[in-house]
Amino acid sequence: MNLRNSIIRLQSKFYFWLIIEQSHISLHFQLLHLGKDWPAGFDIFRSRLHNAFLKNKDVKDPEKIKQLIGHGQYIVKEIEALYMLKKYRTLKRRYYQ
Amino acid sequence: MVRVLVGVKRVIDYAVKIRVKPDKMGVVTDGVKHSMNPFDEIAVEEAVRMKEKKVASEIIAVSCGPPQSQEVIRTALAMGVDKGIHVEVSGSEYETLQPIHVSKILAKIAQKENVDLIIVGKQAIDDDSNQTAQMTAAVLNWPQATFASKVEKGDKELTVTREVDGGLETIKCKIPAVISADLRLNEPRYATLPNIMKAKKKPITKMTPQDLGVDISPRIKILSVEDPPVRQAGVILPDVDSLVTKLKEGGHIP
């Protein structure tokens, strides 16, 4: 019984890390995808993104990791909004002024 | 519930600096970033919002063009469109493909797929024709609501607010109808990576204009493509006196 409990505990811990790992990787890919449209070029974006992830490579605390992933998702939304606004403004300037 | 058809065009990306080919027969398209026409994005977004509001049952995206046009259909699918139709037109045929041909293709597909509403962008940012919506309505003999900045669906009709010179016009029209999207209709969503991945499972049907019985023989011949005139450089003058002399020389003041 005791063994079974500890196996379950181990499993849930494993799944927890798996989920964190997955959301971390998908965040990285999402940001890379957004970087393809970056005005100053993809290469600059990629190296900066790499540095941003590297800066937190030693973070082990699960709560802190969750918080950082949340921040990354916030950045994704910000970049999307930035692109949309840039496109809207360009079109407005070209066709309505 | 209505079935919606949206037209999407693959154009050179809005942020790219356009260059004319040395032979003056077109613009450089090789190795240039392409994306969906921004006004078509607005049209797609409107259709997707209709579906989210349970006004539309199914959305179909159509694109006419070379094989790469499938990329913009994929983008539309990632934004929430249900299925795509790619009408393949490539090479020299595509260079002389005009709104008249596209509108006939759209009309044929609309009849075949039994759609109630066609939404297209008001114009493409490459040729700026602004004809496809109007011509499609004419071919189908449907009412048209062009330059829409607000669309509301009633029971059997649509209330559309249109952008006209110096103001807005509100009209009512029966369904089926053709709508063309103006810039202020909505703010299109970004096709996110997870959605692009999911969209790979959605179907794209391929066909040719011949399958639809549409003749796409050229109606025009491109004679020459020119750069717009370059703005002349200005000069900085040291004082007011030289400015006055300069203006007198130019005949701007007596």
Side-chain angles (χ1 to χ4, degrees), chain A residues 77-92:
Chain A
K77 288 277 159 233
E78 284 284 293
I79 295 174
E80 282 175 11
L82 172 79
Y83 288 168
M84 280 350 226
L85 192 66
K86 184 169 173 258
K87 192 183 280 182
Y88 177 83
R89 286 195 173 154
T90 313
L91 286 176
K92 204 174 157 209

Side-chain angles (χ1 to χ4, degrees), chain A residues 29-30 33-34 37 80 83-84 86-88 90-92 94-96, chain B residues 14 33 38 41 122-123 125 128 182-183 188-193 196:
Chain A
F29 272 106
Q30 262 181 53
H33 171 68
L34 281 169
D37 291 335
E80 282 175 11
Y83 288 168
M84 280 350 226
K86 184 169 173 258
K87 192 183 280 182
Y88 177 83
T90 313
L91 286 176
K92 204 174 157 209
R94 278 187 203 162
Y95 289 103
Y96 297 89
Chain B
Y14 79 99
K33 189 187 170 204
E41 274 182 350
K122 66 162 184 166
Q123 68 193 75
I125 60 165
D128 287 327
D182 209 320
L183 186 62
R189 69 196 66 190
Y190 199 83
T192 59
L193 191 61
I196 290 173

Side-chain angles (χ1 to χ4, degrees), chain B residues 57-89:
Chain B
S57 56
E58 193 182 31
I59 314 168
I60 308 161
V62 184
S63 188
C64 308
Q68 298 96 310
S69 295
Q70 288 202 4
E71 291 160 20
V72 299
I73 299 178
R74 288 273 171 230
T75 314
L77 294 173
M79 286 171 79
V81 168
D82 297 298
K83 62 176 190 178
I85 297 176
H86 175 217
V87 181
E88 194 166 345
V89 182

